Amino acid sequence: MDLSAYLVNAATRQMAETEAAEAEFAGIDALIADAEGRAGAHASAEVEDDSLPVDDRRAVDEAMGLVYGADEATPRGRGGVA
């Protein structure tokens, strides 16, 4: 088998494996898309920082750190999630 035939064979095999993986996770992708759609419909309004007590703000910041990771230097707006 020459190099070009090998590359064509490898590309065809990779495409088949990708299609199989996409089919395997299609149900999960549909659940995620549905959840994102419903979450967008229930988006809350921006919350002013002064509307929460200090302890509650700290708890929210800690929870958002878990969601976004500790590497996030500045928290994003509290009105929405990723």
Side-chain angles (χ1 to χ4, degrees):
M1 180 183 308
D2 65 347
L3 180 61
S4 62
Y6 174 79
L7 293 175
V8 168
N9 186 29
T12 304
R13 181 177 174 188
Q14 181 62 43
M15 289 171 39
E17 289 176 1
T18 299
E19 288 176 6
E22 288 173 350
E24 183 78 24
F25 292 101
I28 294 171
D29 291 338
L31 286 173
I32 292 170
D34 181 51
E36 287 175 343
R38 287 185 285 140
H42 297 294
S44 62
E46 283 290 323
V47 176
E48 295 295 323
D49 282 343
D50 296 339
S51 66
L52 293 174
V54 174
D55 292 337
D56 291 343
R57 265 188 279 151
R58 189 175 301 120
V60 169
D61 289 338
E62 288 174 6
M64 295 307 285
L66 294 173
V67 171
Y68 290 114
D71 294 337
E72 176 124 354
T74 56
R76 298 175 193 210
R78 288 196 173 90
V81 179

